């Protein structure tokens, strides 16, 4: 695929690895903010190929992981109603709420559908005027414009049977939360490439200045990640702060003005709760007054939901780079992608799931050993 | 903007209740949930040696029940027996339909066990309101598939359920085949150093179904690869009688088969990402939906495990056959990391290929 | 993240007053909303996320990493000539 295969070239990857080896003189801790980057790093085994001086920590950039429990519970409540068609991206179906998840709602007869684009929901709403079509609008700044466009069209087309359950979160406030944390170890960042395609690089310049860190806006292919790491190491070694754009082929400095304009019309900035982290001020979007009619939380009278938190899972610390999945007492045992116990195991992009799927220590788990014994008897 | 500094150790995240008190779609995905169901419910209930071999077909020595005086289990021909249900939406998809799938799937479960498929049964569960023309089309398609595979449909059954209680048509086919004297394929025969071959491009079937799935539709020339593999397995076994084990990577894809292998024998598997044959359209569709071709279903492919000295002969034999034209050596069985499948990525890093947890869902992240 | 992949715009059209297009990903074609790229034309490669094109791939910028790698290998050759 053009603009993809070229960036998976093994020889070029080896050359970039050599450049990193030749540049680094001391240990550095770099955070890749975006879960998509975490996914690529483990999928291609990039972390093992890097020199031991580099510690990559995985940031809170996975919208699926950080969607708060309360919203999952609300989604489960709404999706369970007989007159509702509940539409969602595939990632959200397995995310556990307090008592259930959307796959279980589907198993119990709820009309839960996976869609590719939010515009697909409008097609369903137009075809089924007697049903309320509710879309689970999750995601970072990258996904928000798609959801904004669906709302803008629904309003213009008078699709009153369309509503959204909004859980949009923003990257820079989360990075701020990480940097302000008293035990922050992160010295440099790989910025989330596709978020910057929409928002541009300005917010990151302010962050870099305020906290004296280098930030390299980075893409998702192996060569992108290796070049992003190389540039970040070079900046760290030279004591440079500021923003470099490794992913300029897809990220104009100003981002995408047309989408920013619609985001301002449809949404407004609000405090948001992040699963595993807590509330971060002004870190998300809610619907603007002009679009309040589409708010599923207002349209359905939802019972007060009490959520319970576990004490074993350390995903909050993992999301902020304080700890690694291997530090968790239940990683790979009580907590696996099939029975996720926390935010970072839920999505294939979550750091724990990525580690479990691609990087589990190379020894069989107890569960596998006992299975094997069963088969051999 | 001021964020409250946080103490990492104070943080916690939610602990969901276990969600496994109802059957979910994932229990039919061929992944971990399916395995749990088999190991925790079916195996203990029906406990017997034939079932606990956990192959896709049971191979039965008839001489235990007949007058044969043979002492060795492999001296006489044995009976292979299998069953498989087919639920697919839509009933007609690019490159096939539920009818031919129901024939091919059962023929293949026999063929990969080294059997010559002979007789099939078909049980239809029809939903009230199904157009008779659709059923006729499915039946004709089954007839064509039976003729192509050289099997006979010798018995069957029909039931009708209320409208809304079925998905148009569900079909269950069972099959009987004959394993010739002297032939034995088993997961237990797999040895360290064995090579792992795949008969062609992976993911064609699953992604062609995905292309017509409501809400995810995309336009592509991609077609399901569903086919009966018994002519291919016949050629393979004629050229290489020493094939240790074969399996068709249907639900859960190649990843599920390789994980079944490493969990049944105390060995590891190492494969190369660059060796995996994937059509550009399948790869593109997977990239678009955030899916992994290793986990996507196939309906006309097999995985074969063979001693290294026979690998080249087997590969050439497979490539000479139309159903094996794109056959490739994926990797090998190893004593390293027992119980784990490892894949070397295109850039040389290693990753683990796990058993799929449930149905692979499209993702945005 | 935001799973975004590059595809080739092969056709433009309007639906509900919004600019849409057909985008080809190696033989897989999908309807994509192009409203956020008013300057887009057929033949552009765009980055697509959940059915929306977010940016046009800049060909010059796309070559940068390879230029850097070429420079690096030239430097290596120079190093190799050192006694």
């Amino acid at each position: 695929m053009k603009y993809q295969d070229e960036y998976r070239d093994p020889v070029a990857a080896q050359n970039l690895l050599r450049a990193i080896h030749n540049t680094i003189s001391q240990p550095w801790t770099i955070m890749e903010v975006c879960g998509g980057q975490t996914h690529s790093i483990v999928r291609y085994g990039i972390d093992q190929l890097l020199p031991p001086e580099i510690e990559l920590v995985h940031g809170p950039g996975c919208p699926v992981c950080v969607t708060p429990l309360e919203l999952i519970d609300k989604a489960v409540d709404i999706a369970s109603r007989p007159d509702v068609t509940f539409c969602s991206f595939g990632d959200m179906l397995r995310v556990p709420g307090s008592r259930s998840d959307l796959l279980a709602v589907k198993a119990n007869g709820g009309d839960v559908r996976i869609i590719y684009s939010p515009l697909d929901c409008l097609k369903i709403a137009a075809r089924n005027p007697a049903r309320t079509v509710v879309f689970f609008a999750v995601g970072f700044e990258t996904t928000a414009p798609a959801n904004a466009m669906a709302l803008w069209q629904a309003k213009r087309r008078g699709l009153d049977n369309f509503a959204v359950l909004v859980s949009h979160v923003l990257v820079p406030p989360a990075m701020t939360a990480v940097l302000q944390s008293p035990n922050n170890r992160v010295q440099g960042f790989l910025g989330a490439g596709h978020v910057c395609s929409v928002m541009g690089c300005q917010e990151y310049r302010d962050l870099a200045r305020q906290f004296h860190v280098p930030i390299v806006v980075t893409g998702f292919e192996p060569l992108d990640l290796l070049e992003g790491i190389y540039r970040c190491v070079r900046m760290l070694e030279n004591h440079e702060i500021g923003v470099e754009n490794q992913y300029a082929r897809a990220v104009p400095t100003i981002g995408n003005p047309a989408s920013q304009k619609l985001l301002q019309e449809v949404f407004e900035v609000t405090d948001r709760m992040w699963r595993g982290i807590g509330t971060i001020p002004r870190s998300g979007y809610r619907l603007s007054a002009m679009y309040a009619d589409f708010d599923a939380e207002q349209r359905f009278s939802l019972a007060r939901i009490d959520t319970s938190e576990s004490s074993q899972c350390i995903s909050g610390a993992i999301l902020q780079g304080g700890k690694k999945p291997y530090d968790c007492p239940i990683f790979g045992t009580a907590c696996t992608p099939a029975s996720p116990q926390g935010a970072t195991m839920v999505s294939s992009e979550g750091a724990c799931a990525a580690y479990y799927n691609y990087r589990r220590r190379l020894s069989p788990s107890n569960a596998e050993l006992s299975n094997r014994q069963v088969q051999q008897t | 903007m001021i964020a409250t500094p946080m103490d990492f150790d104070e943080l916690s995240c939610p602990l969901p209740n276990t969600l496994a008190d109802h059957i979910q779609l994932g229990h039919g995905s061929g992944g971990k949930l399916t395995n749990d169901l088999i190991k925790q419910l079916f195996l203990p209930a029906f406990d017997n040696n034939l079932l606990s071999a956990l192959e896709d077909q049971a191979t039965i020595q008839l001489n235990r029940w007949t007058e044969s005086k043979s002492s060795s289990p492999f001296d006489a021909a044995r009976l292979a027996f299998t069953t498989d249900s087919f639920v697919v939406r839509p009933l007609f998809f690019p490159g096939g339909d539920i009818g031919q799938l129901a024939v091919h799937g059962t023929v293949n479960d026999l063929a990969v066990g080294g059997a010559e498929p002979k007789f099939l049964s078909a049980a239809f569960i029809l939903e009230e309101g199904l157009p008779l023309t659709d059923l006729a089309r499915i039946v004709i398609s089954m007839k064509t598939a039976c003729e192509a595979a050289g099997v006979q449909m010798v018995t069957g059954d029909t039931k009708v359920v209320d409208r809304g209680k079925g998905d148009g048509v569900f079909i269950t086919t069972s099959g009987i085949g004959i394993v010739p004297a002297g032939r034995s394929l088993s997961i237990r025969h797999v040895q360290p150093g064995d090579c792992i071959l795949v008969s062609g491009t992976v993911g064609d079937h699953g992604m062609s179904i995905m292309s017509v799935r409501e809400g995810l539709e995309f336009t592509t020339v991609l077609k399901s690869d569903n086919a009966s593999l018994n002519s291919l397995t016949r050629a393979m076994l004629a050229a290489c009688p020493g094939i240790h084990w074969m399996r068709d990577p249907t639900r859960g894809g190649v990843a599920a088969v390789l994980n079944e292998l490493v969990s049944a024998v105390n060995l590891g598997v190492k494969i190369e990402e660059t060796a995996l044959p994937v059509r550009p359209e399948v790869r593109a569709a997977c990239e678009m939906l955030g899916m992994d071709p290793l986990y996507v279903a196939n309906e006309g492919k097999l995985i074969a495990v063979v001693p290294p000295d026979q690998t080249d002969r087997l590969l050439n034999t497979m490539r000479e056959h139309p159903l094996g034209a794109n056959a490739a050596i994926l990797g090998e069985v190893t004593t390293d990391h027992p119980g784990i499948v490892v894949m070397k990525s295109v850039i040389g890093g290693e990753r683990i290929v796990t058993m799929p947890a449930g149905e692979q869902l499209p993702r945005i992240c | 993240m935001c799973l975004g992949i590059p595809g080739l715009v092969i056709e433009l059209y309007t639906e509900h007053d919004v600019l849409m297009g057909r985008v080809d990903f190696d033989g897989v074609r999908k309807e994509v909303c192009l409203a956020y790229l008013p300057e887009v034309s057929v033949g552009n490669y765009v980055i697509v996320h959940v059915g929306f094109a977010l940016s046009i791939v800049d060909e010059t910028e796309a070559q940068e990493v390879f230029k850097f790698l070429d420079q690096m290998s030239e430097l290596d050759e120079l190093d190799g000539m050192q006694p």
Side-chain angles (χ1 to χ4, degrees), chain B residues 3 30 40 63 95 106 113 120 173 183 198 200-201 209 212 233 250 260 274-275 359:
Chain B
Q40 291 161 17
N63 54 5
T106 292
L120 300 189
T173 47
R183 182 182 292 172
V198 63
T201 54
I209 297 278
V212 289
T233 54
T250 53
E260 277 170 46
T274 48
E359 189 196 10

Side-chain angles (χ1 to χ4, degrees), chain A residues 273-317:
Chain A
M273 172 85 170
W274 293 55
R275 187 172 194 169
I277 295 181
T279 300
I280 303 179
R282 300 183 56 72
S283 65
Y285 286 138
R286 66 171 170 230
L287 290 170
S288 67
M290 207 190 329
Y291 285 84
D293 293 350
F294 290 97
D295 188 347
E297 293 192 56
Q298 301 307 318
R299 211 172 290 187
F300 298 91
S301 50
L302 298 174
R304 181 89 201 108
I305 293 167
D306 288 321
T307 55
S308 51
E309 302 285 339
S310 133
S311 57
Q312 280 185 295
C313 165
I314 59 165
S315 67

Side-chain angles (χ1 to χ4, degrees), chain B residues 325-364:
Chain B
N326 296 312
I329 301 170
L330 280 189
E332 61 174 4
V333 179
T334 167
T335 50
D336 301 341
H337 48 78
I340 292 188
V341 180
V342 171
M343 178 152 95
K344 193 170 168 190
S345 79
V346 287
I347 62 156
E350 284 190 344
R351 72 180 233 211
I352 290 173
V353 178
T354 51
M355 186 61 143
E359 189 196 10
Q360 196 178 201
L361 302 173
R363 58 187 179 92
I364 60 160

Side-chain angles (χ1 to χ4, degrees), chain A residues 5 8 43-44 48 90-91 94 101 120 180 183 275 310 313 315 320 340-341 349 357-358 360 372 375, chain B residues 3 8 11-16 19 39 215 263 266 283 287 345 350-352 359 362-365:
Chain A
D5 293 346
R8 296 179 184 180
R43 173 179 162 191
Y44 291 104
Q48 315 158 62
D91 329 42
R94 251 196 276 274
D101 63 20
D120 297 330
Q180 288 185 330
N183 43 357
R275 187 172 194 169
S310 133
C313 165
S315 67
Q320 296 176 74
Q341 304 295 296
E349 240 194 34
N357 282 324
Y358 300 142
R360 234 171 345 136
R372 198 166 305 141
Q375 284 167 14
Chain B
F8 292 124
L11 294 165
S12 64
C13 74
L15 187 72
L19 303 168
K39 284 175 184 150
S263 69
N266 199 19
R283 199 145 71 88
E287 295 280 356
S345 79
E350 284 190 344
R351 72 180 233 211
I352 290 173
E359 189 196 10
R363 58 187 179 92
I364 60 160
C365 318

Side-chain angles (χ1 to χ4, degrees), chain B residues 139-191:
Chain B
V139 170
I140 296 297
S141 162
M142 291 174 83
K143 167 183 178 281
T144 311
C146 284
E147 285 166 357
V151 295
Q152 287 178 290
M153 184 67 70
V154 292
T155 181
D157 180 53
T158 307
K159 295 282 186 293
V160 179
V161 295
D162 293 340
R163 186 186 283 272
K165 295 281 166 64
D167 222 347
V169 186
F170 297 143
I171 305 175
T172 299
T173 47
S174 299
I176 288 177
I178 304 296
V179 182
R183 182 182 292 172
S184 163
L185 279 80
S186 164
I187 204 163
R188 310 260 164 255
H189 298 344
V190 172
Q191 296 296 321

Side-chain angles (χ1 to χ4, degrees), chain B residues 68-360:
Chain B
S68 165
K69 297 283 182 285
S70 167
S71 55
S72 160
F74 306 130
D75 282 355
R78 286 163 301 141
L79 193 70
F81 177 42
T82 188
T83 188
D84 207 341
S85 298
F86 297 85
V87 293
V88 62
R89 215 176 11 183
L91 298 174
F92 305 92
F93 48 81
D97 58 53
I98 190 170
Q100 65 190 71
L101 208 59
V103 172
H104 296 321
T106 292
V107 165
N108 293 345
D109 281 348
L110 294 169
V112 294
E116 280 292 344
K118 296 290 183 193
F119 306 108
L120 300 189
S121 72
F124 295 86
I125 297 176
L126 307 173
E127 186 187 4
E128 181 188 26
L130 174 78
L132 206 52
T133 48
D134 284 1
L135 185 59
R137 197 174 144 192
I138 289 165
V139 170
I140 296 297
S141 162
M142 291 174 83
K143 167 183 178 281
T144 311
C146 284
E147 285 166 357
V151 295
Q152 287 178 290
M153 184 67 70
V154 292
T155 181
D157 180 53
T158 307
K159 295 282 186 293
V160 179
V161 295
D162 293 340
R163 186 186 283 272
K165 295 281 166 64
D167 222 347
V169 186
F170 297 143
I171 305 175
T172 299
T173 47
S174 299
I176 288 177
I178 304 296
V179 182
R183 182 182 292 172
S184 163
L185 279 80
S186 164
I187 204 163
R188 310 260 164 255
H189 298 344
V190 172
Q191 296 296 321
D194 281 0
C195 287
I196 299 162
L197 283 74
V198 63
S199 63
T201 54
V202 302
D204 300 26
H205 174 76
M207 287 332 269
S208 60
I209 297 278
M210 197 62 81
S211 75
V212 289
R213 187 167 164 175
E214 193 197 9
L216 302 170
E217 306 94 332
F218 51 88
T219 314
T220 171
V221 295
L222 207 55
K223 284 190 167 59
S224 166
D225 59 352
N226 71 101
S228 282
L229 294 166
N230 50 331
S231 64
L232 174 65
T233 54
R234 193 180 307 131
M236 287 165 67
L237 286 158
C240 291
I243 295 174
H244 282 157
W245 183 66
M246 291 191 286
R247 182 62 69 87
D248 56 337
T250 53
R251 290 171 311 177
V254 171
V257 168
L258 297 179
N259 274 285
E260 277 170 46
L261 172 60
V262 296
S263 69
V265 295
N266 199 19
L267 295 166
V269 158
K270 192 171 269 182
I271 58 171
E272 299 263 345
E273 187 174 13
T274 48
L276 189 72
V278 185
R279 285 184 200 283
E281 297 89 350
V282 170
R283 199 145 71 88
C286 283
E287 295 280 356
M288 186 170 78
L289 299 171
M291 296 169 86
D292 185 338
L294 273 176
Y295 292 87
V296 179
N298 309 277
E299 291 291 349
K301 298 295 185 310
L302 57 80
I303 297 277
V305 180
V306 65
D309 57 341
Q310 297 180 44
T311 303
D312 289 345
R313 183 157 27 114
L314 183 61
L315 184 65
N316 292 335
T317 305
M318 289 164 85
R319 285 182 174 169
E320 280 163 15
H321 192 287
L323 291 171
N326 296 312
I329 301 170
L330 280 189
E332 61 174 4
V333 179
T334 167
T335 50
D336 301 341
H337 48 78
I340 292 188
V341 180
V342 171
M343 178 152 95
K344 193 170 168 190
S345 79
V346 287
I347 62 156
E350 284 190 344
R351 72 180 233 211
I352 290 173
V353 178
T354 51
M355 186 61 143
E359 189 196 10
Q360 196 178 201

Side-chain angles (χ1 to χ4, degrees), chain A residues 223-241:
Chain A
L223 294 197
D224 290 326
L225 287 156
L226 288 167
E227 194 195 2
I229 291 165
Y230 165 74
R231 288 190 182 202
C232 195
V233 167
R234 195 174 57 183
M235 289 174 85
L236 287 164
E237 291 278 345
N238 297 335
H239 307 292
E240 288 174 44
I241 57 167

